[in-house]
Amino acid sequence: MATDTSLPTARGTASPPGLDRRSRLILFVLCAAQFMVALDFSVLNVALPVLGQDLGLSRSALQWAVTAFALPSGGFLLLFGRIADLYGRRRLFLAGLSVFGAASLLAAFAWDPASFLAGRALQGLGAAVIVPTGMSLLTTTFPEGPLRDRALGISGTLLSLGFTIGMVLGGVMTDTLGWRSTMGLLALFTLVVLPLAPRLLPESRTPERPRLDVPGAVTVTGGLLAVIYALSTAADRGFGGTDVLVTLAVGVALLIAFAVVESRSDAPLVSLPMLRRRTVAFGNLGGLVTFSMMSTVVFVLTLYLQESLGLSAFGTGLVFGVQGVVSVFAGALVPKVIGRIGAHRTLVFSLLGQGVFVAALLGVGAESGALLAGVGVSLASMCHLGAIISYGVTVTSGVPDEEQGLATGLVTTTQQVGVTVGIPLLGVLATTGPSLLEGVRLVLSVDAGVVLVAGLVVAAGLRGASRRG
């Protein structure tokens, strides 16, 4: 495998070694791409009410601005992660950046809802390439141990920081330049990252060239697309519609077929023995819950702050802006915590903390609550970042380099599916209830309960597993 081997192995050292200049530049490029994807999700979040008025999208249809991106990014992640393993991670990474940049321009110049959603879908397709290839390039470039923990900590911090900065920038840019400028920013960001990547990133692929598991690719991609589409449609039409039930049934059937195909394939897209590892199964469960529930909190609080309290897009961005400071603090702290108590315990404590702080948000009121929302969501986000970093370490530890694309594909699929399913499943409760405030409180109570239960399940599932998985 053509991976960079100049980096020191950090296994067994007392503290993470320093990164040399080349390592820092590689990490910068990979983290910048992840930062850009996080920015894409959040920079538009506070602009949704304004965007909806401009393009004619109803409040219940606003979630499609998020779902149009997350549908292809979640559906195609495993496929592109495996293609990158076989044919070159850097090559696919560069292609994903190019598609993402062009799609951002299309979204910026959209003339109606269809053209805008098409641009968002193409952005999602580009992200489906960028995220797994970027993560697998990171885990194959930086060896397992404190050095990789540090790299994942920096990546997770920038991921959370990108989300936070996007909230603030989205508010400022929407109020001053209009929502289209947020999409133009992403295109400009791509032009900065794309020229640097070919010069710095090492090419990396599996040493063998087994055939691509086409039946597995078709069934898992079709199944994920069908399930995500059904859940997203349910936000508009409810879960009782025939089209929703049929699409959901087709999706579940395809995912069952995928499991059967993989059990019989000589070169499976997903290694079933890998899925049987408790670290992979319960680590991804923790990741799915933390992403789905936190994305829902941000979505409903955005609606609450602007529609219940009357804050502007800029004011809403400032409320969420406290997360930036907290994210920097948490990103520096979490790898040290993992070094002391292990990734498994860090994941469990992070989930439980996230659930507690989301429950505290139930105190928001009809006339006041901006301060509580800012403090509560920042503390919940600190725990959320801890869960992001620790679940990534949990799932990828102990996985050989030739399977890192599969492992990181599962990690990033969990991330994107989590972002996708949370809002349709719970966000609909906020937009279809008797009042927005009552709906927001209902969503927050369910959200907190799910995270707390998941923390206990993950704790039980990872009990007895090795410290690093």
Side-chain angles (χ1 to χ4, degrees):
M1 182 188 309
T3 55
D4 178 60
T5 57
S6 63
L7 301 174
T9 300
R11 203 73 165 140
T13 58
S15 61
L19 299 173
D20 59 31
R21 182 175 179 274
R22 181 168 177 268
S23 301
R24 292 193 193 98
L25 290 173
I26 292 173
L27 187 59
F28 168 78
V29 170
L30 295 176
C31 289
Q34 305 286 349
F35 178 89
M36 182 178 65
V37 173
L39 193 70
D40 185 16
F41 176 73
S42 63
V43 77
L44 195 64
N45 213 338
V46 296
L48 287 178
V50 177
L51 182 152
Q53 294 173 7
D54 187 26
L55 292 180
L57 289 169
S58 66
R59 191 171 73 182
S60 62
L62 284 179
Q63 55 91 17
W64 278 103
V66 177
T67 302
F69 173 87
L71 184 64
S73 65
F76 288 97
L77 273 170
L78 280 175
L79 175 60
F80 284 129
R82 188 52 170 165
I83 290 175
D85 280 349
L86 301 179
Y87 300 106
R89 292 159 183 150
R90 183 181 68 171
R91 183 182 305 172
L92 267 292
F93 182 78
L94 297 176
L97 284 174
S98 301
V99 171
F100 188 91
S104 298
L105 285 177
L106 175 59
F109 291 102
W111 54 94
D112 59 13
S115 58
F116 172 73
L117 293 177
R120 291 289 289 162
L122 288 172
Q123 280 183 324
L125 194 65
V129 181
I130 294 170
V131 174
T133 54
M135 182 67 77
S136 57
L137 281 168
L138 187 149
T139 56
T140 55
T141 299
F142 297 90
E144 183 179 339
L147 191 61
R148 183 186 293 177
D149 291 354
R150 184 178 181 185
L152 286 171
I154 294 172
S155 177
T157 300
L158 289 178
L159 189 69
S160 182
L161 194 59
F163 182 86
T164 303
I165 291 176
M167 298 292 287
V168 179
L169 272 179
V172 173
M173 297 179 73
T174 299
D175 277 356
T176 57
L177 301 174
W179 68 265
R180 296 178 187 274
S181 64
T182 63
M183 296 292 97
L185 175 65
L186 296 170
L188 181 62
F189 207 101
T190 306
L191 292 177
V192 174
V193 176
L194 189 57
L196 297 175
R199 304 176 186 178
L200 293 170
L201 298 179
E203 185 54 281
S204 167
R205 62 171 62 90
T206 54
E208 299 86 14
R209 295 289 292 273
R211 63 180 178 82
L212 181 64
D213 178 18
V214 176
V218 170
T219 51
V220 72
T221 302
L224 286 172
L225 288 173
V227 169
I228 294 171
Y229 177 81
L231 294 175
S232 300
T233 304
D236 275 337
R237 307 177 191 173
F239 285 93
T242 303
D243 56 341
V244 173
L245 295 176
V246 169
T247 308
L248 186 61
V250 169
V252 172
L254 285 172
L255 292 177
I256 293 174
F258 169 69
V260 174
V261 168
E262 297 306 277
S263 67
R264 300 176 180 178
S265 175
D266 294 331
L269 188 66
V270 173
S271 169
L272 293 183
M274 181 186 294
L275 289 176
R276 295 189 192 104
R277 296 178 182 175
R278 282 186 292 167
T279 53
V280 174
F282 288 98
N284 275 300
L285 173 62
L288 178 66
V289 170
T290 193
F291 273 108
S292 60
M293 296 299 103
M294 199 64 212
S295 65
T296 304
V297 169
V298 172
F299 178 77
V300 298
L301 285 182
T302 299
L303 295 179
Y304 162 73
L305 290 170
Q306 294 191 40
E307 298 191 18
S308 290
L309 298 187
L311 269 65
S312 66
F314 175 64
T316 302
L318 289 180
V319 170
F320 286 107
V322 184
Q323 289 175 291
V325 177
V326 175
S327 297
V328 172
F329 171 75
L333 179 64
V334 171
K336 297 178 182 179
V337 174
I338 291 175
R340 289 183 64 87
I341 68 174
H344 302 169
R345 291 189 181 92
T346 304
L347 175 58
V348 171
F349 292 147
S350 296
L351 289 171
L352 295 176
Q354 180 179 328
V356 168
F357 289 122
V358 169
L361 290 169
L362 290 169
V364 296
E367 298 180 357
S368 64
L371 178 61
L372 176 59
V375 174
V377 79
S378 296
L379 293 175
S381 294
M382 180 177 67
C383 297
H384 171 60
L385 181 58
I388 291 174
I389 297 173
S390 55
Y391 107 88
V393 173
T394 298
V395 173
T396 59
S397 295
V399 177
D401 279 357
E402 60 269 20
E403 293 186 350
Q404 280 295 333
L406 292 175
T408 56
L410 287 171
V411 169
T412 50
T413 296
T414 294
Q415 170 185 327
Q416 292 301 318
V417 171
V419 169
T420 305
V421 302
I423 294 174
L425 280 175
L426 296 185
V428 65
L429 298 177
T431 58
T432 59
S435 72
L436 180 61
L437 180 59
E438 290 181 21
V440 167
R441 286 174 174 167
L442 176 60
V443 170
L444 292 175
S445 61
V446 174
D447 191 295
V450 169
V451 178
L452 291 171
V453 170
L456 297 176
V457 171
V458 171
L462 293 178
R463 182 176 300 167
S466 64
R467 180 180 175 86
R468 299 195 53 86

